[in-house]
Amino acid sequence: SNDTITKDEL
Amino acid sequence: MNIFRLAGDMTHLASVLVLLLKIHTIKSCAGVSLKTQELYALVFATRYLDIVTDFISVYNTVMKLIFLGSSFSIVWYIRHHRVVRRSYDKDQDTFRHYLLMIPCMLLALFVHEKFTFKEVMWTFSLYLEAVAILPQLVLLQRTRNIDNLTGQYVFLLGAYRGLYIFNWIYRYFTEPHFVHWITWIAGVVQTLLYADFFYYYFESWKNNVRLQLPA
């Protein structure tokens, strides 16, 4: 899975 | 960003504003669990470690600052504000934090995507957020008369979690490789904790009576 995808959520 | 995500964030923001409104203007934190607020402050402090290392967007950074600032100021108000602290239901708000914090930390140490400090802290924040509402729900159950603002605060928080689930469903179908089990399971568990509250919230709204949770 890609870090940047969920880390854009709050 | 999809509509569910935006609506979720706005509901979250609204919940914080409702709580600050109650504390700041009415100068009362009656029915508000300090334990839950301290857990949220810890959730944001451990989740947003990336605020200084990664830049995602202005929106993202601003929202993170708002959630960090509001959660710590709410804790400060309840603990230290001369007037507000007197309305705190200390004897009722007896849930012990460490019963939630320790299992969440252990789980994060064993179940995570990557074993790095930032990643384990981020995972810990997801697990902790899932259960952080529990002291508040226990306090609501003990409080005979739940005032409107406190009821709305918890309702908005629950709505925010529900909207995030729709956001994940939407992203799963529109973005390639959008599979995040840890986030999803923690998020679904968190939303389920509100099910009972929602039931009584809608019942009281439908019957136009004051919200009261059964003991």
Side-chain angles (χ1 to χ4, degrees):
Chain A
S1 57
N2 185 345
D3 258 13
T4 54
I5 297 176
T6 35
K7 301 302 194 304
D8 69 4
E9 293 185 344
L10 298 157
Chain B
M1 182 159 39
N2 63 70
I3 188 72
F4 302 111
R5 164 70 199 285
L6 183 65
D9 286 350
M10 290 305 115
T11 318
H12 191 188
L13 194 60
S15 75
V16 172
L17 290 177
V18 163
L19 190 55
L20 277 171
L21 178 83
K22 176 181 157 85
I23 292 175
H24 190 80
T25 54
I26 306 171
K27 294 278 185 285
S28 162
C29 64
V32 177
S33 167
L34 175 62
K35 302 296 173 78
T36 285
Q37 297 306 318
E38 287 177 338
L39 291 174
Y40 280 136
L42 183 60
V43 163
F44 296 131
T46 50
R47 183 172 308 166
Y48 299 159
L49 289 174
D50 64 353
I51 200 168
V52 284
T53 56
D54 303 285
F55 178 77
I56 294 154
S57 64
V58 172
Y59 172 84
N60 194 274
T61 304
V62 169
M63 292 295 268
K64 281 174 175 169
L65 288 173
I66 291 174
F67 291 133
L68 277 169
S70 59
S71 60
F72 278 93
S73 51
I74 289 166
V75 169
W76 180 85
Y77 257 113
I78 301 177
R79 294 182 81 108
H80 303 295
H81 189 280
R82 190 172 49 83
V83 182
V84 176
R85 71 173 186 203
R86 273 186 254 144
S87 57
Y88 172 49
D89 304 323
K90 197 179 176 181
D91 301 330
Q92 305 266 39
D93 190 25
T94 53
F95 206 106
R96 279 160 293 179
H97 308 83
Y98 64 85
L99 288 179
L100 299 175
M101 282 156 57
I102 293 169
C104 288
M105 187 44 89
L106 289 174
L107 193 60
L109 284 170
F110 291 106
V111 185
H112 48 250
E113 285 186 12
K114 265 191 301 185
F115 192 63
T116 61
F117 178 72
K118 223 166 78 176
E119 192 69 22
V120 169
M121 289 315 240
W122 183 79
T123 313
F124 167 71
S125 83
L126 287 179
Y127 297 148
L128 191 63
E129 189 189 359
V131 292
I133 196 66
L134 286 174
Q136 180 63 68
L137 292 175
V138 169
L139 182 60
L140 283 187
Q141 209 166 52
R142 289 177 179 170
T143 313
R144 282 296 84 193
N145 286 312
I146 302 167
D147 66 89
N148 285 332
L149 287 178
T150 309
Q152 276 153 16
Y153 166 68
V154 178
F155 171 75
L156 287 166
L157 266 183
Y160 140 64
R161 292 317 309 184
L163 286 162
Y164 255 66
I165 292 180
F166 288 105
N167 154 57
W168 294 327
I169 295 170
Y170 182 89
R171 294 186 79 168
Y172 177 78
F173 287 109
T174 54
E175 291 172 26
H177 316 300
F178 189 73
V179 178
H180 294 285
W181 291 113
I182 293 176
T183 318
W184 293 349
I185 293 168
V188 169
V189 167
Q190 185 175 2
T191 311
L192 287 175
L193 292 182
Y194 288 91
D196 192 58
F197 171 84
F198 275 141
Y199 174 79
Y200 292 104
Y201 185 87
F202 284 119
E203 281 292 302
S204 79
W205 178 72
K206 198 173 73 188
N207 303 324
N208 202 19
V209 293
R210 197 176 259 278
L211 176 62
Q212 204 174 325
L213 303 187

